[in-house]
Amino acid sequence: QVQLVESGGGSVQAGGSLRLSCAGSGYTYIAHCMGWFRQAPGKEREGVAAIDSDGKTTYAAAVRGRFTVSQDNAKNTFYLQIDSAKPEDTATYYCAIAPVPAAKYCKGLNDDFRHWGQGTQVTVSS
């Protein structure tokens, strides 16, 4: 059974930093597409960043230059480094993963993510 568990959320002042983690278990994929998403109260879920098993990254325009996605494939763990946080970054952050035959089939934030974590809350105060 595939499980994704996010951690690292919390409260930070504007301009501060947080590092989110997503620990995966219950799978062994030849290749994967992984994404970070967020949802603020009253808003639709939006894609934030994605990374494939070859390390290719994709970022939403709203976070490019401030967020960094990375992974440790040996540990099945993914990270989202949030720097220069803004109040509009306040949301519940989710990680998601999809298996693929090869990383070249990943479509960034538009993949068919089959498995999702429960989310971790990030609050940025001004």
Side-chain angles (χ1 to χ4, degrees):
Q1 182 179 356
V2 177
Q3 280 195 318
L4 298 174
V5 179
E6 301 95 337
S7 62
S11 297
V12 65
Q13 289 192 328
S17 298
L18 279 175
R19 189 194 197 201
L20 308 184
S21 298
C22 171
S25 62
Y27 65 88
T28 302
Y29 294 152
I30 295 174
H32 63 256
C33 313
M34 183 273 170
W36 284 98
F37 295 79
R38 67 185 182 186
Q39 187 167 20
K43 295 188 176 181
E44 292 188 357
R45 186 177 65 196
E46 63 175 346
V48 174
I51 188 167
D52 66 30
S53 45
D54 284 349
K56 181 181 177 181
T57 58
T58 303
Y59 295 95
V63 305
R64 192 173 296 124
R66 301 188 298 117
F67 288 18
T68 304
V69 59
S70 61
Q71 63 190 354
D72 183 336
N73 286 333
K75 297 181 179 180
N76 280 356
T77 301
F78 308 91
Y79 306 97
L80 184 69
Q81 177 69 37
I82 300 174
D83 295 318
S84 302
K86 300 179 179 181
E88 51 263 44
D89 295 326
T90 296
T92 300
Y93 283 71
Y94 302 88
C95 60
I97 196 168
V100 288
K104 66 180 181 180
Y105 295 107
C106 291
K107 295 177 283 186
L109 292 166
N110 297 314
D111 281 294
D112 179 20
F113 294 101
R114 300 182 185 181
H115 306 288
W116 293 78
Q118 294 300 306
T120 186
Q121 177 68 35
V122 171
T123 302
V124 183
S125 58
S126 57

